[in-house]
Amino acid sequence: QVQVVESGGGLVQPGGSLRLSCVASGSDLSINTMYWYRQSPGKERELVASITTIGSTDYADSVKGRFAISRDNAKKTVHLQMNSLKAEDTAVYYCKAYVIAGGRLDGYWGQGTQVTVSS
């Protein structure tokens, strides 16, 4: 069974920073591309950043230059460093990991972690 768990959310003032982490666990699995999404009340879930197994990254225009995604393949972990946070970054942040297990590639969501940017 594959589990994806996020951590690191919280309350931060505008201009501040937070670092989110996401770890995938389970037996005999290989992690493929990993993603961070976010969802604000009344809005659709949107893609924030992605990172492939070889470290190629992509970002939403709204976070380019402020957020950085990284991964540790040995620890099956992905991080999202968020700097210069704005009120509009307030959302629940979700990690999605594509996992190869038993010869199948499937996507698994975490439960989300709340990020609130407010003074």
Side-chain angles (χ1 to χ4, degrees), residues 4-9 19-23 33-39 45-51 58-60 63 67-71 77-82 92-97 109-115:
V4 175
V5 179
E6 305 98 334
S7 62
R19 186 176 189 241
L20 305 183
S21 297
C22 168
V23 59
T33 301
M34 303 183 82
Y35 300 83
W36 283 101
Y37 287 78
R38 66 186 181 187
Q39 188 168 20
R45 192 170 294 189
E46 63 171 344
L47 178 62
V48 175
S50 63
I51 186 166
D58 197 15
Y59 298 92
V63 306
F67 291 11
I69 189 171
S70 61
R71 65 188 288 164
T77 299
V78 64
H79 303 287
L80 186 68
Q81 178 66 42
M82 304 186 296
V92 178
Y93 283 71
Y94 297 91
C95 175
K96 186 173 186 179
W109 290 96
Q111 81 289 350
T113 185
Q114 176 70 47
V115 171

mmCIF file of all heavy atoms in Angstrom, residues 4-9 19-23 33-39 45-51 58-60 63 67-71 77-82 92-97 109-115:
data_model
loop_
_atom_site.group_PDB
_atom_site.id
_atom_site.type_symbol
_atom_site.label_atom_id
_atom_site.label_comp_id
_atom_site.label_asym_id
_atom_site.label_seq_id
_atom_site.Cartn_x
_atom_site.Cartn_y
_atom_site.Cartn_z
ATOM 1 N N VAL A 4 1.124 8.743 0.832
ATOM 2 C CA VAL A 4 1.773 10.013 0.531
ATOM 3 C C VAL A 4 1.365 10.988 1.634
ATOM 4 O O VAL A 4 0.168 11.205 1.848
ATOM 5 C CB VAL A 4 1.352 10.541 -0.850
ATOM 6 C CG1 VAL A 4 1.948 11.919 -1.099
ATOM 7 C CG2 VAL A 4 1.792 9.564 -1.937
ATOM 8 N N VAL A 5 2.351 11.568 2.302
ATOM 9 C CA VAL A 5 2.058 12.423 3.453
ATOM 10 C C VAL A 5 2.810 13.734 3.327
ATOM 11 O O VAL A 5 4.037 13.744 3.153
ATOM 12 C CB VAL A 5 2.452 11.732 4.772
ATOM 13 C CG1 VAL A 5 2.160 12.649 5.958
ATOM 14 C CG2 VAL A 5 1.700 10.411 4.930
ATOM 15 N N GLU A 6 2.052 14.837 3.427
ATOM 16 C CA GLU A 6 2.651 16.168 3.386
ATOM 17 C C GLU A 6 2.854 16.710 4.790
ATOM 18 O O GLU A 6 2.158 16.314 5.726
ATOM 19 C CB GLU A 6 1.772 17.162 2.617
ATOM 20 C CG GLU A 6 1.402 16.773 1.210
ATOM 21 C CD GLU A 6 0.026 16.155 1.123
ATOM 22 O OE1 GLU A 6 -0.428 15.595 2.131
ATOM 23 O OE2 GLU A 6 -0.601 16.220 0.053
ATOM 24 N N SER A 7 3.759 17.653 4.912
ATOM 25 C CA SER A 7 3.988 18.347 6.179
ATOM 26 C C SER A 7 4.595 19.709 5.889
ATOM 27 O O SER A 7 5.055 19.970 4.766
ATOM 28 C CB SER A 7 4.916 17.536 7.092
ATOM 29 O OG SER A 7 6.182 17.361 6.496
ATOM 30 N N GLY A 8 4.591 20.579 6.910
ATOM 31 C CA GLY A 8 5.285 21.850 6.793
ATOM 32 C C GLY A 8 4.406 23.066 6.616
ATOM 33 O O GLY A 8 4.911 24.190 6.562
ATOM 34 N N GLY A 9 3.100 22.868 6.508
ATOM 35 C CA GLY A 9 2.224 24.019 6.355
ATOM 36 C C GLY A 9 2.124 24.826 7.641
ATOM 37 O O GLY A 9 2.628 24.425 8.689
ATOM 38 N N ARG A 19 8.602 25.849 4.029
ATOM 39 C CA ARG A 19 9.107 24.703 3.270
ATOM 40 C C ARG A 19 8.183 23.519 3.517
ATOM 41 O O ARG A 19 8.046 23.038 4.637
ATOM 42 C CB ARG A 19 10.528 24.352 3.696
ATOM 43 C CG ARG A 19 11.188 23.273 2.853
ATOM 44 C CD ARG A 19 12.615 23.080 3.302
ATOM 45 N NE ARG A 19 13.381 22.218 2.410
ATOM 46 C CZ ARG A 19 13.939 21.073 2.785
ATOM 47 N NH1 ARG A 19 13.795 20.648 4.029
ATOM 48 N NH2 ARG A 19 14.624 20.352 1.930
ATOM 49 N N LEU A 20 7.553 23.076 2.441
ATOM 50 C CA LEU A 20 6.688 21.905 2.515
ATOM 51 C C LEU A 20 7.482 20.655 2.146
ATOM 52 O O LEU A 20 8.381 20.708 1.317
ATOM 53 C CB LEU A 20 5.498 22.047 1.567
ATOM 54 C CG LEU A 20 4.640 23.298 1.711
ATOM 55 C CD1 LEU A 20 3.465 23.236 0.732
ATOM 56 C CD2 LEU A 20 4.151 23.475 3.124
ATOM 57 N N SER A 21 7.103 19.563 2.776
ATOM 58 C CA SER A 21 7.725 18.278 2.460
ATOM 59 C C SER A 21 6.645 17.243 2.187
ATOM 60 O O SER A 21 5.529 17.328 2.712
ATOM 61 C CB SER A 21 8.598 17.804 3.622
ATOM 62 O OG SER A 21 9.667 18.694 3.855
ATOM 63 N N CYS A 22 7.000 16.270 1.375
ATOM 64 C CA CYS A 22 6.080 15.188 1.039
ATOM 65 C C CYS A 22 6.899 13.909 0.921
ATOM 66 O O CYS A 22 7.911 13.892 0.220
ATOM 67 C CB CYS A 22 5.380 15.493 -0.274
ATOM 68 S SG CYS A 22 4.480 14.106 -0.997
ATOM 69 N N VAL A 23 6.457 12.877 1.613
ATOM 70 C CA VAL A 23 7.168 11.605 1.550
ATOM 71 C C VAL A 23 6.202 10.515 1.103
ATOM 72 O O VAL A 23 5.049 10.461 1.547
ATOM 73 C CB VAL A 23 7.805 11.255 2.909
ATOM 74 C CG1 VAL A 23 6.770 11.160 4.006
ATOM 75 C CG2 VAL A 23 8.622 9.986 2.821
ATOM 76 N N THR A 33 7.425 10.967 -11.486
ATOM 77 C CA THR A 33 7.269 12.408 -11.350
ATOM 78 C C THR A 33 6.436 12.742 -10.116
ATOM 79 O O THR A 33 5.499 12.023 -9.780
ATOM 80 C CB THR A 33 6.614 12.989 -12.599
ATOM 81 O OG1 THR A 33 7.442 12.678 -13.735
ATOM 82 C CG2 THR A 33 6.475 14.501 -12.497
ATOM 83 N N MET A 34 6.809 13.832 -9.448
ATOM 84 C CA MET A 34 6.084 14.294 -8.263
ATOM 85 C C MET A 34 5.603 15.714 -8.498
ATOM 86 O O MET A 34 6.269 16.510 -9.177
ATOM 87 C CB MET A 34 6.962 14.205 -7.021
ATOM 88 C CG MET A 34 7.488 12.804 -6.768
ATOM 89 S SD MET A 34 8.472 12.654 -5.265
ATOM 90 C CE MET A 34 7.183 12.489 -4.017
ATOM 91 N N TYR A 35 4.450 16.010 -7.934
ATOM 92 C CA TYR A 35 3.783 17.287 -8.182
ATOM 93 C C TYR A 35 3.337 17.919 -6.866
ATOM 94 O O TYR A 35 3.009 17.232 -5.906
ATOM 95 C CB TYR A 35 2.531 17.080 -9.031
ATOM 96 C CG TYR A 35 2.763 16.475 -10.387
ATOM 97 C CD1 TYR A 35 2.877 15.103 -10.547
ATOM 98 C CD2 TYR A 35 2.842 17.281 -11.518
ATOM 99 C CE1 TYR A 35 3.075 14.545 -11.795
ATOM 100 C CE2 TYR A 35 3.041 16.726 -12.782
ATOM 101 C CZ TYR A 35 3.158 15.359 -12.910
ATOM 102 O OH TYR A 35 3.357 14.816 -14.155
ATOM 103 N N TRP A 36 3.285 19.254 -6.877
ATOM 104 C CA TRP A 36 2.592 20.009 -5.845
ATOM 105 C C TRP A 36 1.425 20.742 -6.513
ATOM 106 O O TRP A 36 1.608 21.406 -7.542
ATOM 107 C CB TRP A 36 3.507 21.022 -5.160
ATOM 108 C CG TRP A 36 4.443 20.420 -4.173
ATOM 109 C CD1 TRP A 36 5.765 20.138 -4.357
ATOM 110 C CD2 TRP A 36 4.137 20.037 -2.830
ATOM 111 N NE1 TRP A 36 6.297 19.594 -3.225
ATOM 112 C CE2 TRP A 36 5.316 19.527 -2.263
ATOM 113 C CE3 TRP A 36 2.980 20.073 -2.053
ATOM 114 C CZ2 TRP A 36 5.382 19.053 -0.956
ATOM 115 C CZ3 TRP A 36 3.044 19.604 -0.759
ATOM 116 C CH2 TRP A 36 4.233 19.102 -0.220
ATOM 117 N N TYR A 37 0.249 20.600 -5.921
ATOM 118 C CA TYR A 37 -0.942 21.316 -6.327
ATOM 119 C C TYR A 37 -1.413 22.157 -5.135
ATOM 120 O O TYR A 37 -0.982 21.931 -3.997
ATOM 121 C CB TYR A 37 -2.074 20.345 -6.690
ATOM 122 C CG TYR A 37 -1.920 19.619 -7.986
ATOM 123 C CD1 TYR A 37 -1.065 18.524 -8.111
ATOM 124 C CD2 TYR A 37 -2.663 19.990 -9.109
ATOM 125 C CE1 TYR A 37 -0.942 17.842 -9.309
ATOM 126 C CE2 TYR A 37 -2.551 19.307 -10.310
ATOM 127 C CZ TYR A 37 -1.686 18.232 -10.401
ATOM 128 O OH TYR A 37 -1.574 17.558 -11.590
ATOM 129 N N ARG A 38 -2.318 23.080 -5.412
ATOM 130 C CA ARG A 38 -2.957 23.817 -4.323
ATOM 131 C C ARG A 38 -4.404 24.112 -4.697
ATOM 132 O O ARG A 38 -4.757 24.173 -5.873
ATOM 133 C CB ARG A 38 -2.210 25.112 -4.003
ATOM 134 C CG ARG A 38 -2.231 26.167 -5.084
ATOM 135 C CD ARG A 38 -1.342 27.334 -4.693
ATOM 136 N NE ARG A 38 -1.361 28.387 -5.709
ATOM 137 C CZ ARG A 38 -0.563 29.439 -5.669
ATOM 138 N NH1 ARG A 38 0.323 29.601 -4.671
ATOM 139 N NH2 ARG A 38 -0.645 30.358 -6.621
ATOM 140 N N GLN A 39 -5.190 24.281 -3.640
ATOM 141 C CA GLN A 39 -6.607 24.589 -3.843
ATOM 142 C C GLN A 39 -7.053 25.575 -2.786
ATOM 143 O O GLN A 39 -6.923 25.317 -1.578
ATOM 144 C CB GLN A 39 -7.450 23.314 -3.788
ATOM 145 C CG GLN A 39 -8.890 23.526 -4.167
ATOM 146 C CD GLN A 39 -9.629 22.230 -4.398
ATOM 147 O OE1 GLN A 39 -9.217 21.167 -3.935
ATOM 148 N NE2 GLN A 39 -10.714 22.290 -5.146
ATOM 149 N N ARG A 45 -8.516 23.026 -8.084
ATOM 150 C CA ARG A 45 -7.141 22.656 -7.728
ATOM 151 C C ARG A 45 -6.233 23.013 -8.900
ATOM 152 O O ARG A 45 -6.536 22.709 -10.057
ATOM 153 C CB ARG A 45 -7.060 21.164 -7.413
ATOM 154 C CG ARG A 45 -5.783 20.729 -6.760
ATOM 155 C CD ARG A 45 -5.867 19.293 -6.265
ATOM 156 N NE ARG A 45 -6.841 19.151 -5.187
ATOM 157 C CZ ARG A 45 -6.985 18.037 -4.474
ATOM 158 N NH1 ARG A 45 -6.202 16.979 -4.715
ATOM 159 N NH2 ARG A 45 -7.908 17.967 -3.532
ATOM 160 N N GLU A 46 -5.110 23.648 -8.594
ATOM 161 C CA GLU A 46 -4.206 24.068 -9.656
ATOM 162 C C GLU A 46 -2.809 23.498 -9.426
ATOM 163 O O GLU A 46 -2.360 23.322 -8.286
ATOM 164 C CB GLU A 46 -4.117 25.598 -9.736
ATOM 165 C CG GLU A 46 -3.543 26.283 -8.518
ATOM 166 C CD GLU A 46 -3.286 27.761 -8.728
ATOM 167 O OE1 GLU A 46 -3.262 28.237 -9.874
ATOM 168 O OE2 GLU A 46 -3.078 28.471 -7.715
ATOM 169 N N LEU A 47 -2.123 23.236 -10.533
ATOM 170 C CA LEU A 47 -0.765 22.725 -10.476
ATOM 171 C C LEU A 47 0.191 23.859 -10.118
ATOM 172 O O LEU A 47 0.156 24.927 -10.740
ATOM 173 C CB LEU A 47 -0.388 22.106 -11.819
ATOM 174 C CG LEU A 47 1.030 21.566 -11.956
ATOM 175 C CD1 LEU A 47 1.287 20.435 -10.969
ATOM 176 C CD2 LEU A 47 1.273 21.079 -13.385
ATOM 177 N N VAL A 48 1.038 23.613 -9.154
ATOM 178 C CA VAL A 48 2.007 24.614 -8.711
ATOM 179 C C VAL A 48 3.393 24.320 -9.271
ATOM 180 O O VAL A 48 4.055 25.211 -9.810
ATOM 181 C CB VAL A 48 2.068 24.653 -7.170
ATOM 182 C CG1 VAL A 48 3.156 25.604 -6.699
ATOM 183 C CG2 VAL A 48 0.719 25.056 -6.596
ATOM 184 N N ALA A 49 3.831 23.081 -9.125
ATOM 185 C CA ALA A 49 5.184 22.727 -9.551
ATOM 186 C C ALA A 49 5.280 21.224 -9.749
ATOM 187 O O ALA A 49 4.509 20.455 -9.163
ATOM 188 C CB ALA A 49 6.212 23.177 -8.518
ATOM 189 N N SER A 50 6.256 20.826 -10.576
ATOM 190 C CA SER A 50 6.494 19.412 -10.796
ATOM 191 C C SER A 50 7.992 19.164 -10.924
ATOM 192 O O SER A 50 8.754 20.074 -11.266
ATOM 193 C CB SER A 50 5.778 18.919 -12.054
ATOM 194 O OG SER A 50 6.295 19.574 -13.202
ATOM 195 N N ILE A 51 8.376 17.909 -10.666
ATOM 196 C CA ILE A 51 9.778 17.538 -10.799
ATOM 197 C C ILE A 51 9.859 16.081 -11.230
ATOM 198 O O ILE A 51 9.203 15.212 -10.657
ATOM 199 C CB ILE A 51 10.551 17.783 -9.479
ATOM 200 C CG1 ILE A 51 12.046 17.524 -9.672
ATOM 201 C CG2 ILE A 51 9.979 16.991 -8.315
ATOM 202 C CD1 ILE A 51 12.919 18.060 -8.537
ATOM 203 N N ASP A 58 9.172 22.280 -13.414
ATOM 204 C CA ASP A 58 8.262 23.189 -14.094
ATOM 205 C C ASP A 58 7.417 23.877 -13.039
ATOM 206 O O ASP A 58 7.122 23.272 -11.987
ATOM 207 C CB ASP A 58 7.378 22.424 -15.078
ATOM 208 C CG ASP A 58 6.736 23.353 -16.090
ATOM 209 O OD1 ASP A 58 7.177 24.510 -16.220
ATOM 210 O OD2 ASP A 58 5.780 22.935 -16.761
ATOM 211 N N TYR A 59 7.038 25.121 -13.309
ATOM 212 C CA TYR A 59 6.305 25.913 -12.334
ATOM 213 C C TYR A 59 5.144 26.656 -12.971
ATOM 214 O O TYR A 59 5.203 27.050 -14.144
ATOM 215 C CB TYR A 59 7.232 26.951 -11.686
ATOM 216 C CG TYR A 59 8.388 26.368 -10.921
ATOM 217 C CD1 TYR A 59 9.617 26.154 -11.537
ATOM 218 C CD2 TYR A 59 8.255 26.016 -9.580
ATOM 219 C CE1 TYR A 59 10.686 25.602 -10.846
ATOM 220 C CE2 TYR A 59 9.316 25.468 -8.876
ATOM 221 C CZ TYR A 59 10.531 25.269 -9.518
ATOM 222 O OH TYR A 59 11.591 24.732 -8.822
ATOM 223 N N ALA A 60 4.120 26.898 -12.177
ATOM 224 C CA ALA A 60 3.065 27.797 -12.590
ATOM 225 C C ALA A 60 3.640 29.205 -12.671
ATOM 226 O O ALA A 60 4.535 29.566 -11.898
ATOM 227 C CB ALA A 60 1.919 27.753 -11.587
ATOM 228 N N VAL A 63 4.074 31.397 -9.502
ATOM 229 C CA VAL A 63 5.050 31.119 -8.445
ATOM 230 C C VAL A 63 6.492 31.123 -8.948
ATOM 231 O O VAL A 63 7.422 30.970 -8.153
ATOM 232 C CB VAL A 63 4.762 29.772 -7.745
ATOM 233 C CG1 VAL A 63 3.318 29.724 -7.245
ATOM 234 C CG2 VAL A 63 5.057 28.589 -8.648
ATOM 235 N N PHE A 67 9.063 30.106 -5.745
ATOM 236 C CA PHE A 67 8.997 28.739 -5.237
ATOM 237 C C PHE A 67 10.065 27.889 -5.906
ATOM 238 O O PHE A 67 10.431 28.114 -7.056
ATOM 239 C CB PHE A 67 7.642 28.106 -5.519
ATOM 240 C CG PHE A 67 6.485 28.672 -4.737
ATOM 241 C CD1 PHE A 67 6.593 29.833 -3.989
ATOM 242 C CD2 PHE A 67 5.255 28.022 -4.761
ATOM 243 C CE1 PHE A 67 5.526 30.357 -3.280
ATOM 244 C CE2 PHE A 67 4.166 28.519 -4.053
ATOM 245 C CZ PHE A 67 4.312 29.694 -3.311
ATOM 246 N N ALA A 68 10.547 26.892 -5.171
ATOM 247 C CA ALA A 68 11.524 25.949 -5.720
ATOM 248 C C ALA A 68 11.179 24.537 -5.261
ATOM 249 O O ALA A 68 11.033 24.293 -4.056
ATOM 250 C CB ALA A 68 12.928 26.320 -5.279
ATOM 251 N N ILE A 69 11.062 23.643 -6.232
ATOM 252 C CA ILE A 69 10.770 22.243 -5.933
ATOM 253 C C ILE A 69 12.057 21.436 -6.023
ATOM 254 O O ILE A 69 12.901 21.692 -6.883
ATOM 255 C CB ILE A 69 9.682 21.689 -6.888
ATOM 256 C CG1 ILE A 69 9.213 20.306 -6.442
ATOM 257 C CG2 ILE A 69 10.170 21.688 -8.332
ATOM 258 C CD1 ILE A 69 7.989 19.810 -7.224
ATOM 259 N N SER A 70 12.223 20.488 -5.118
ATOM 260 C CA SER A 70 13.396 19.627 -5.130
ATOM 261 C C SER A 70 12.990 18.246 -4.629
ATOM 262 O O SER A 70 11.906 18.093 -4.047
ATOM 263 C CB SER A 70 14.512 20.196 -4.247
ATOM 264 O OG SER A 70 14.080 20.305 -2.905
ATOM 265 N N ARG A 71 13.846 17.262 -4.853
ATOM 266 C CA ARG A 71 13.506 15.920 -4.418
ATOM 267 C C ARG A 71 14.745 15.172 -3.960
ATOM 268 O O ARG A 71 15.865 15.473 -4.371
ATOM 269 C CB ARG A 71 12.789 15.132 -5.521
ATOM 270 C CG ARG A 71 13.627 14.855 -6.747
ATOM 271 C CD ARG A 71 12.773 14.248 -7.856
ATOM 272 N NE ARG A 71 12.386 12.878 -7.562
ATOM 273 C CZ ARG A 71 11.411 12.219 -8.196
ATOM 274 N NH1 ARG A 71 10.730 12.833 -9.148
ATOM 275 N NH2 ARG A 71 11.121 10.968 -7.902
ATOM 276 N N THR A 77 11.242 11.599 -1.233
ATOM 277 C CA THR A 77 10.719 12.846 -0.681
ATOM 278 C C THR A 77 10.814 13.967 -1.706
ATOM 279 O O THR A 77 11.762 14.027 -2.493
ATOM 280 C CB THR A 77 11.534 13.220 0.571
ATOM 281 O OG1 THR A 77 11.401 12.190 1.554
ATOM 282 C CG2 THR A 77 11.042 14.528 1.171
ATOM 283 N N VAL A 78 9.824 14.847 -1.683
ATOM 284 C CA VAL A 78 9.852 16.057 -2.485
ATOM 285 C C VAL A 78 9.598 17.233 -1.552
ATOM 286 O O VAL A 78 8.840 17.120 -0.580
ATOM 287 C CB VAL A 78 8.814 16.008 -3.629
ATOM 288 C CG1 VAL A 78 7.392 15.957 -3.091
ATOM 289 C CG2 VAL A 78 8.984 17.182 -4.563
ATOM 290 N N HIS A 79 10.272 18.347 -1.832
ATOM 291 C CA HIS A 79 10.108 19.555 -1.033
ATOM 292 C C HIS A 79 9.631 20.691 -1.915
ATOM 293 O O HIS A 79 9.887 20.707 -3.123
ATOM 294 C CB HIS A 79 11.437 19.952 -0.395
ATOM 295 C CG HIS A 79 12.040 18.896 0.459
ATOM 296 N ND1 HIS A 79 11.551 18.560 1.704
ATOM 297 C CD2 HIS A 79 13.107 18.074 0.239
ATOM 298 C CE1 HIS A 79 12.291 17.604 2.225
ATOM 299 N NE2 HIS A 79 13.231 17.279 1.352
ATOM 300 N N LEU A 80 8.951 21.649 -1.296
ATOM 301 C CA LEU A 80 8.567 22.875 -1.978
ATOM 302 C C LEU A 80 8.984 24.042 -1.080
ATOM 303 O O LEU A 80 8.376 24.260 -0.034
ATOM 304 C CB LEU A 80 7.066 22.918 -2.259
ATOM 305 C CG LEU A 80 6.608 24.109 -3.086
ATOM 306 C CD1 LEU A 80 7.145 23.999 -4.521
ATOM 307 C CD2 LEU A 80 5.086 24.201 -3.113
ATOM 308 N N GLN A 81 10.034 24.728 -1.486
ATOM 309 C CA GLN A 81 10.481 25.912 -0.773
ATOM 310 C C GLN A 81 9.717 27.103 -1.316
ATOM 311 O O GLN A 81 9.788 27.393 -2.514
ATOM 312 C CB GLN A 81 11.991 26.123 -0.958
ATOM 313 C CG GLN A 81 12.528 27.362 -0.278
ATOM 314 C CD GLN A 81 12.450 27.292 1.232
ATOM 315 O OE1 GLN A 81 12.744 26.261 1.834
ATOM 316 N NE2 GLN A 81 12.049 28.388 1.856
ATOM 317 N N MET A 82 8.985 27.774 -0.429
ATOM 318 C CA MET A 82 8.137 28.886 -0.841
ATOM 319 C C MET A 82 8.655 30.158 -0.186
ATOM 320 O O MET A 82 8.664 30.264 1.048
ATOM 321 C CB MET A 82 6.689 28.620 -0.421
ATOM 322 C CG MET A 82 6.140 27.309 -0.948
ATOM 323 S SD MET A 82 4.386 27.072 -0.585
ATOM 324 C CE MET A 82 4.423 27.016 1.194
ATOM 325 N N VAL A 92 -4.798 25.046 0.505
ATOM 326 C CA VAL A 92 -4.350 23.725 0.926
ATOM 327 C C VAL A 92 -3.431 23.199 -0.172
ATOM 328 O O VAL A 92 -3.803 23.189 -1.353
ATOM 329 C CB VAL A 92 -5.531 22.769 1.151
ATOM 330 C CG1 VAL A 92 -5.014 21.383 1.544
ATOM 331 C CG2 VAL A 92 -6.468 23.310 2.212
ATOM 332 N N TYR A 93 -2.252 22.796 0.219
ATOM 333 C CA TYR A 93 -1.258 22.298 -0.727
ATOM 334 C C TYR A 93 -1.239 20.775 -0.691
ATOM 335 O O TYR A 93 -1.139 20.169 0.385
ATOM 336 C CB TYR A 93 0.114 22.866 -0.399
ATOM 337 C CG TYR A 93 0.271 24.294 -0.840
ATOM 338 C CD1 TYR A 93 -0.410 25.322 -0.180
ATOM 339 C CD2 TYR A 93 1.053 24.634 -1.932
ATOM 340 C CE1 TYR A 93 -0.308 26.644 -0.596
ATOM 341 C CE2 TYR A 93 1.172 25.955 -2.353
ATOM 342 C CZ TYR A 93 0.479 26.950 -1.681
ATOM 343 O OH TYR A 93 0.589 28.251 -2.103
ATOM 344 N N TYR A 94 -1.326 20.187 -1.872
ATOM 345 C CA TYR A 94 -1.376 18.738 -2.010
ATOM 346 C C TYR A 94 -0.174 18.237 -2.806
ATOM 347 O O TYR A 94 0.226 18.832 -3.803
ATOM 348 C CB TYR A 94 -2.633 18.303 -2.749
ATOM 349 C CG TYR A 94 -3.926 18.636 -2.052
ATOM 350 C CD1 TYR A 94 -4.580 19.840 -2.293
ATOM 351 C CD2 TYR A 94 -4.508 17.739 -1.158
ATOM 352 C CE1 TYR A 94 -5.768 20.148 -1.661
ATOM 353 C CE2 TYR A 94 -5.704 18.037 -0.521
ATOM 354 C CZ TYR A 94 -6.324 19.242 -0.775
ATOM 355 O OH TYR A 94 -7.514 19.544 -0.152
ATOM 356 N N CYS A 95 0.339 17.117 -2.368
ATOM 357 C CA CYS A 95 1.391 16.436 -3.098
ATOM 358 C C CYS A 95 0.764 15.278 -3.871
ATOM 359 O O CYS A 95 -0.132 14.586 -3.358
ATOM 360 C CB CYS A 95 2.423 15.909 -2.104
ATOM 361 S SG CYS A 95 3.737 14.897 -2.806
ATOM 362 N N LYS A 96 1.233 15.081 -5.086
ATOM 363 C CA LYS A 96 0.823 13.911 -5.857
ATOM 364 C C LYS A 96 2.076 13.214 -6.366
ATOM 365 O O LYS A 96 2.931 13.841 -6.995
ATOM 366 C CB LYS A 96 -0.072 14.295 -7.032
ATOM 367 C CG LYS A 96 -0.620 13.077 -7.766
ATOM 368 C CD LYS A 96 -1.624 13.475 -8.819
ATOM 369 C CE LYS A 96 -2.286 12.244 -9.439
ATOM 370 N NZ LYS A 96 -3.296 12.619 -10.467
ATOM 371 N N ALA A 97 2.162 11.944 -6.083
ATOM 372 C CA ALA A 97 3.318 11.161 -6.498
ATOM 373 C C ALA A 97 2.888 10.075 -7.455
ATOM 374 O O ALA A 97 1.938 9.317 -7.159
ATOM 375 C CB ALA A 97 3.996 10.543 -5.284
ATOM 376 N N TRP A 109 -2.407 10.742 -4.071
ATOM 377 C CA TRP A 109 -2.519 12.059 -3.443
ATOM 378 C C TRP A 109 -2.250 11.955 -1.951
ATOM 379 O O TRP A 109 -2.620 10.977 -1.301
ATOM 380 C CB TRP A 109 -3.921 12.620 -3.632
ATOM 381 C CG TRP A 109 -4.270 13.022 -5.025
ATOM 382 C CD1 TRP A 109 -4.942 12.283 -5.958
ATOM 383 C CD2 TRP A 109 -4.000 14.292 -5.642
ATOM 384 N NE1 TRP A 109 -5.094 13.021 -7.110
ATOM 385 C CE2 TRP A 109 -4.537 14.258 -6.945
ATOM 386 C CE3 TRP A 109 -3.368 15.470 -5.218
ATOM 387 C CZ2 TRP A 109 -4.444 15.336 -7.831
ATOM 388 C CZ3 TRP A 109 -3.273 16.537 -6.096
ATOM 389 C CH2 TRP A 109 -3.806 16.464 -7.382
ATOM 390 N N GLY A 110 -1.670 13.023 -1.426
ATOM 391 C CA GLY A 110 -1.606 13.168 0.013
ATOM 392 C C GLY A 110 -2.876 13.828 0.525
ATOM 393 O O GLY A 110 -3.770 14.184 -0.247
ATOM 394 N N GLN A 111 -2.926 14.020 1.839
ATOM 395 C CA GLN A 111 -4.141 14.553 2.454
ATOM 396 C C GLN A 111 -4.166 16.074 2.443
ATOM 397 O O GLN A 111 -5.220 16.666 2.708
ATOM 398 C CB GLN A 111 -4.237 14.056 3.911
ATOM 399 C CG GLN A 111 -3.401 14.834 4.923
ATOM 400 C CD GLN A 111 -1.909 14.607 4.801
ATOM 401 O OE1 GLN A 111 -1.457 13.712 4.078
ATOM 402 N NE2 GLN A 111 -1.127 15.419 5.513
ATOM 403 N N GLY A 112 -3.059 16.697 2.119
ATOM 404 C CA GLY A 112 -2.989 18.152 2.043
ATOM 405 C C GLY A 112 -2.465 18.788 3.314
ATOM 406 O O GLY A 112 -2.609 18.233 4.412
ATOM 407 N N THR A 113 -1.869 19.959 3.156
ATOM 408 C CA THR A 113 -1.393 20.728 4.293
ATOM 409 C C THR A 113 -1.748 22.197 4.056
ATOM 410 O O THR A 113 -1.576 22.725 2.958
ATOM 411 C CB THR A 113 0.125 20.546 4.510
ATOM 412 O OG1 THR A 113 0.535 21.226 5.700
ATOM 413 C CG2 THR A 113 0.961 21.052 3.336
ATOM 414 N N GLN A 114 -2.308 22.830 5.088
ATOM 415 C CA GLN A 114 -2.811 24.196 4.951
ATOM 416 C C GLN A 114 -1.676 25.204 5.039
ATOM 417 O O GLN A 114 -0.860 25.153 5.967
ATOM 418 C CB GLN A 114 -3.834 24.487 6.054
ATOM 419 C CG GLN A 114 -4.363 25.908 6.064
ATOM 420 C CD GLN A 114 -5.270 26.215 4.893
ATOM 421 O OE1 GLN A 114 -6.169 25.438 4.573
ATOM 422 N NE2 GLN A 114 -5.042 27.352 4.239
ATOM 423 N N VAL A 115 -1.665 26.125 4.086
ATOM 424 C CA VAL A 115 -0.749 27.264 4.117
ATOM 425 C C VAL A 115 -1.596 28.528 4.159
ATOM 426 O O VAL A 115 -2.440 28.740 3.283
ATOM 427 C CB VAL A 115 0.171 27.279 2.882
ATOM 428 C CG1 VAL A 115 0.963 28.583 2.820
ATOM 429 C CG2 VAL A 115 1.109 26.079 2.912
#
